[in-house]
Amino acid sequence: MLDLALRQSGFPVSIYRLCDAYSKPFGLQSVSSADELLENADVLLWGGGGLLVSWPDMLYRAFFPGVSSEFDSLILGSIEKGICLAACSVGGDGALAPRLTPGYKERFTRAAAFMTVRNPQDLAVPGRFGIPAACFPDLMWLAGEWLPSPARRPGGMRIAFDLYPGALLRKLAPYLVPVIQQLVNERRDCQFYFLDSTNAGCKPYRGLGRFIRGANVVSHQFSDPESDFQFLASLDLLVSSRLHTPVIALQFGVPVVSLLPEGKTSLLLANLGLDSLTFGHHRILDLYRLLSGKKSLDAFLRDFRFPDILSLRAEAAGHLRFLREHLA
């Protein structure tokens, strides 16, 4: 969304390793190497993500092998070439660590000329380094301005789980697999989709659909923007541990539940006053009771309180205004 917004504002943009299925429909230029990205570049802009979230180095390297060194090289190459570093709509998890880890996060943040963040709590990090910064709601609240609004599909209840085995292992929650299997067995009146939001052309399916069985179970992987958005809009409920998939679903009028979320997701929901949608380890039984009972789930969906999407969208545009002012 950031790249699309910048291009529409007249800035030439190259994106690092965005697959063709997502770059070509919007006419965006994707490059596959750091050299291509930095060639003739004036600014290296970090868009979104958990830049301000610290991870233990060994854990990060175990789950994301090679990523830390790749980003280190990219950042150091930019600094050597005198390219301006900046960040837009980045965020943390509310914890102000003495040092951002892995090291590339600290290195980028210290070198940044300016940044915008998505949570008021995040301002403490650029403030520590004396970096000009501003806070606005997550840039993805602007997605509704550019994404189509597909019609909802008629038919039975459609529930999607946006959860991943690796995340369950990190959170010591493999026990959720038999719990979800029991839910699927009980709610045969519902269609359950186990989502992988990575593109099918880039990586093989890695969702929970590999472990859950049933005639009412479907494994679904994202493939292209139009069909991805149609899928999200078709749902009656999204259960997710992620950040941006729920933000998009909410804009399509789809209620969401955040199951064992990352800290950055919990922080965003708390700032929206939606803490009640977060289900940690201590609330798994509550969630099971909610989803397994037809009356309880129907009531939850009927009474679901959506955030003020239009206000969030208007405020999120501040990221782009701040960028234009500092890039002019």
Side-chain angles (χ1 to χ4, degrees):
M1 289 303 104
L2 173 60
D3 312 293
L4 183 60
L6 288 173
R7 194 194 65 173
Q8 291 183 346
S9 298
F11 293 102
V13 177
S14 294
I15 311 164
Y16 191 46
R17 293 192 174 179
L18 180 65
C19 65
D20 289 346
Y22 293 125
S23 59
K24 287 185 177 180
F26 296 109
L28 300 171
Q29 179 184 356
S30 176
V31 297
S32 57
S33 72
D35 289 339
E36 286 181 278
L37 184 68
L38 300 183
E39 185 178 1
N40 300 320
D42 298 304
V43 179
L44 177 65
L45 183 63
W46 194 290
L51 177 66
L52 307 183
V53 177
S54 281
W55 282 65
D57 270 306
M58 289 184 64
L59 185 65
Y60 190 91
R61 294 176 192 279
F63 279 100
F64 309 107
V67 172
S68 184
S69 58
E70 180 182 6
F71 284 154
D72 259 331
S73 298
L74 183 60
I75 294 163
L76 290 171
S78 300
I79 293 172
E80 289 173 3
K81 291 177 178 288
I83 295 171
C84 172
L85 271 59
C88 180
S89 193
V90 295
D93 56 8
L96 185 57
R99 179 177 176 273
L100 291 172
T101 54
Y104 77 82
K105 297 189 176 194
E106 178 89 1
R107 189 169 294 109
F108 185 98
T109 303
R110 283 183 177 274
F114 60 89
M115 68 171 55
T116 62
V117 299
R118 58 177 175 248
N119 302 294
Q121 297 89 335
D122 297 328
L123 287 169
V125 179
R128 185 171 65 190
F129 301 130
I131 298 168
C135 175
F136 308 99
D138 194 289
L139 189 74
M140 285 301 293
W141 292 111
L142 283 173
E145 290 192 359
W146 295 297
L147 305 183
S149 297
R152 300 292 295 275
R153 295 179 186 175
M157 182 76 69
R158 296 162 59 91
I159 301 173
F161 279 81
D162 183 25
L163 299 172
Y164 301 87
L168 295 188
L169 288 174
R170 288 203 310 272
K171 293 178 176 293
L172 304 178
Y175 68 86
L176 273 180
V177 174
V179 172
I180 295 172
Q181 181 67 69
Q182 180 61 28
L183 175 66
V184 167
N185 295 344
E186 284 197 33
R187 293 302 307 267
R188 297 185 186 277
D189 58 318
C190 300
Q191 191 81 359
F192 290 91
Y193 295 84
F194 291 90
L195 176 62
D196 182 353
S197 59
T198 58
N199 185 266
C202 300
K203 292 184 178 180
Y205 177 82
R206 59 197 179 103
L208 279 185
R210 293 177 293 167
F211 306 102
I212 308 296
R213 298 290 181 265
N216 55 340
V217 169
V218 178
S219 296
H220 182 92
Q221 188 167 11
F222 279 7
S223 57
D224 64 85
E226 184 175 356
S227 62
D228 297 345
F229 304 147
Q230 286 177 347
F231 170 78
L232 288 176
S234 75
L235 299 174
D236 294 286
L237 176 68
L238 174 68
V239 182
S240 177
S241 64
R242 310 294 291 276
L243 178 70
H244 286 134
T245 314
V247 168
I248 294 176
L250 286 168
Q251 293 180 74
F252 288 145
V254 176
V256 303
V257 161
S258 189
L259 176 57
L260 299 182
E262 303 290 344
K264 61 184 180 181
T265 307
S266 297
L267 182 61
L268 182 140
L269 291 174
N271 286 334
L272 290 174
L274 300 176
D275 312 60
S276 62
L277 301 180
T278 300
F279 289 81
H281 289 283
H282 65 293
R283 296 191 66 202
I284 297 302
L285 183 57
D286 293 337
L287 180 60
Y288 185 85
R289 288 169 176 161
L290 171 65
L291 299 182
S292 62
K294 186 178 188 308
K295 288 184 178 179
S296 59
L297 181 54
D298 288 347
F300 173 80
L301 298 177
R302 182 188 65 238
D303 300 332
F304 188 86
R305 182 177 66 87
F306 287 90
D308 187 343
I309 303 293
L310 293 180
S311 293
L312 289 167
R313 189 171 296 161
E315 294 173 29
H319 290 287
L320 302 179
R321 291 193 299 270
F322 192 91
L323 276 179
R324 283 192 286 265
E325 291 169 4
H326 285 77
L327 292 177

